[in-house]
Amino acid sequence: MENSNKRSLEDECQYLHTETKKPKASLVSKTTLEPKSSKEIVGFQDLSDDVIMYLFQFLSHDNLAKMALICPNLLRISHDWTLWKKPKFDKFERYMEDTYLSYLKENTTELFITCNDAPSSDNSVSHSFLIQLETKCPTLQHLTLKNQVFDANEICVKMLHRKLKTLTIDNTTVENIPDSSSYLCGINNACPELERIIMTNNDWFLPNCLYALAKLERLNYLSLAGCKQFKDCIPYASITAITGFKSLQTLDLRFTPVSDHELVCFQRLTSLKNVFLESPDYMNHESDPTITDLGLAGFCTATFEFQYPYIQILIDRRGGVNLRRVHERNDNVDRCSIETLHVRNYPKVTDAFLKSAVRTCPYLKSLDITGSRCTPEEIEFYKANRPSTNVIF
């Protein structure tokens, strides 16, 4: 009878396990109910300057500039020069210009300005802002202006920083441009040290702007990608290729409506090494002027043992323009030695170009013929004979 009243070992362990839970649960509930002392709560203001500086590195410069509105301590730390060497204002607001300028430093070398919302004058830089950049940032070399709206009567290239080496103007609207002159007129005097210009997706960029850019003696990179109005520009392309662009090495005309006529002109640039071409979606290659084997032939420069065809531009009395292939060798015609040629989505580029290039393009390192009518057989033949060229198709 005595043994029958004893609990089994399993039941006893279960009982002990249940009993030990109760004080723990009670302890936890008491702990959560007890408020912490105010001395144990660490606020943002209690962090060291080094920790705050580390956190500031993850803020956008737009938000960093608004630290001035919080407290004097954060204002002081946010002005540290290491944070403002390459400021990028993704949500530029004109009413904040004075605050932005107060943050820019003597060591600021790059400045990026854009707005994520619909471009408007309220989200664009002012005349006063651009004028003060040269004083506030004497070492500024790279300036990017994107999604801006300018009034040509207020803002012109003559007020740009004189020490700029790279200028990017992308997807920007310029209003009230005079019919008598180019908007970029005088840029060679305003920014004589420019080496790279990126004028992309700008409908205001007209052929006469090319003449202004050609005067930049140090310009080695030019991108006019996505400029829809840059077409039928043979007179300007022809003149500038002869008189200007003496240092140009890279020309980017992707998504720009160029044709054989413009290519023939640019092939006279002996310094040119890299050309990027890609057809816009809206081009009709059956009816619109386009790029063909004839226009690309001029990029096929010859070594001393080969004779090569070159192209003449013929302008009749009515102003019509025609191209003619001339097979006689002409030692007076200087042409570029192309190293990179990307010509994408031009269906009138065929095997004829590859057959010429395999013989007379000894310097070509990269060739992109995606969207052409070059056959797999001719591509393989080219790759076998020019193994040093990276062919993309």
Side-chain angles (χ1 to χ4, degrees):
M1 293 292 293
E2 184 179 354
N3 294 335
S4 63
N5 293 329
K6 290 184 179 180
R7 294 177 180 272
S8 64
L9 182 60
E10 183 179 354
D11 292 339
E12 188 173 2
C13 291
Q14 186 176 357
Y15 172 77
L16 292 174
H17 181 67
T18 305
E19 289 297 319
T20 55
K21 277 187 175 180
K22 290 182 180 179
K24 285 186 178 181
S26 176
L27 181 61
V28 171
S29 62
K30 289 181 180 179
T31 304
T32 56
L33 292 175
E34 291 180 0
K36 289 187 176 181
S37 170
S38 60
K39 294 182 180 179
E40 298 178 5
I41 300 175
V42 178
F44 196 74
Q45 297 288 337
D46 299 316
L47 299 175
S48 67
D49 287 3
D50 291 340
V51 173
I52 295 176
M53 271 286 294
Y54 176 77
L55 296 176
F56 276 179
Q57 293 177 10
F58 296 94
L59 290 179
S60 68
H61 288 93
D62 304 89
N63 291 327
L64 196 59
K66 294 178 181 178
M67 290 295 105
L69 306 176
I70 299 178
C71 70
N73 186 43
L74 295 183
L75 169 63
R76 174 183 60 82
I77 301 173
S78 67
H79 268 280
D80 189 279
W81 66 270
T82 59
L83 299 171
W84 296 96
K85 291 188 68 175
K86 300 178 181 181
K88 184 176 182 179
F89 298 114
D90 289 317
K91 297 181 179 179
F92 189 89
E93 298 171 292
R94 181 173 286 194
Y95 80 92
M96 288 281 293
E97 279 190 339
D98 291 340
T99 303
Y100 297 149
L101 285 169
S102 69
Y103 276 93
L104 299 181
K105 308 296 181 184
E106 291 185 356
N107 69 316
T108 299
T109 58
E110 296 184 19
L111 179 58
F112 181 97
I113 294 175
T114 186
C115 66
N116 289 338
D117 301 327
S120 67
S121 57
D122 292 336
N123 299 325
S124 303
V125 295
S126 67
H127 171 277
S128 175
F129 184 91
L130 291 176
I131 286 292
Q132 295 182 68
L133 282 182
E134 194 155 357
T135 303
K136 294 290 295 184
C137 313
T139 60
L140 186 68
Q141 295 184 352
H142 311 285
L143 176 62
T144 297
L145 301 171
K146 184 176 181 180
N147 297 342
Q148 302 286 287
V149 177
F150 296 153
D151 186 338
N153 294 324
E154 178 189 1
I155 295 177
C156 64
V157 296
K158 295 180 181 179
M159 64 181 60
L160 294 175
H161 199 297
R162 186 171 178 81
K163 297 296 183 180
L164 287 181
K165 291 187 177 180
T166 302
L167 174 63
T168 299
I169 301 180
D170 177 50
N171 196 35
T172 294
T173 301
V174 181
E175 302 172 342
N176 301 319
I177 300 177
D179 296 333
S180 58
S181 64
S182 160
Y183 180 66
L184 299 180
C185 183
I187 194 172
N188 59 307
N189 294 322
C191 309
E193 298 183 15
L194 276 173
E195 298 175 358
R196 294 172 57 90
I197 288 185
I198 302 171
M199 296 279 174
T200 48
N201 306 308
N202 296 315
D203 290 346
W204 56 265
F205 191 95
L206 301 175
N208 60 358
C209 294
L210 202 65
Y211 188 70
L213 298 180
K215 295 181 180 181
L216 290 164
E217 296 183 357
R218 301 185 183 185
L219 187 66
N220 59 62
Y221 182 98
L222 176 61
S223 175
L224 303 177
C227 293
K228 297 180 181 179
Q229 302 303 319
F230 186 71
K231 57 184 178 180
D232 301 328
C233 58
I234 299 170
Y236 292 100
S238 180
I239 293 173
T240 54
I242 296 173
T243 62
F245 291 126
K246 299 302 182 183
S247 303
L248 191 64
Q249 296 184 8
T250 299
L251 180 61
D252 186 350
L253 296 174
R254 290 175 294 176
F255 309 111
T256 302
V258 294
S259 65
D260 288 344
H261 300 147
E262 289 78 24
L263 287 191
V264 171
C265 300
F266 292 129
Q267 287 161 5
R268 290 181 173 271
L269 301 175
T270 56
S271 60
L272 195 60
K273 302 293 183 184
N274 311 295
V275 177
F276 299 91
L277 306 165
E278 185 163 354
S279 171
D281 294 336
Y282 54 82
M283 279 193 71
N284 187 333
H285 296 280
E286 297 302 322
S287 58
D288 296 338
T290 186
I291 293 175
T292 68
D293 298 329
L294 184 61
L296 295 177
F299 288 125
C300 300
T301 57
T303 53
F304 66 92
E305 72 266 23
F306 290 115
Q307 291 188 343
Y308 60 94
Y310 65 94
I311 309 301
Q312 283 185 337
I313 302 177
L314 303 176
I315 303 177
D316 59 32
R317 294 179 181 179
R318 297 180 180 179
V321 179
N322 296 289
L323 301 181
R324 185 178 71 175
R325 186 192 297 266
V326 181
H327 291 275
E328 297 83 5
R329 185 182 178 104
N330 187 339
D331 294 330
N332 294 324
V333 178
D334 295 324
R335 297 190 177 277
C336 56
S337 300
I338 202 74
E339 296 179 359
T340 303
L341 179 59
H342 289 191
V343 51
R344 298 170 56 92
N345 299 326
Y346 284 98
K348 291 191 176 182
V349 175
T350 68
D351 288 348
F353 164 67
L354 281 183
K355 291 177 180 178
S356 179
V358 75
R359 294 182 296 105
T360 59
C361 289
Y363 308 109
L364 198 58
K365 299 176 181 178
S366 178
L367 175 63
D368 188 342
I369 48 174
T370 303
S372 70
R373 289 185 181 173
C374 297
T375 63
E377 294 77 15
E378 196 63 39
I379 292 173
E380 292 302 320
F381 179 80
Y382 180 93
K383 291 168 65 176
N385 286 271
R386 291 290 182 185
S388 60
T389 304
N390 178 33
V391 182
I392 306 170
F393 57 94

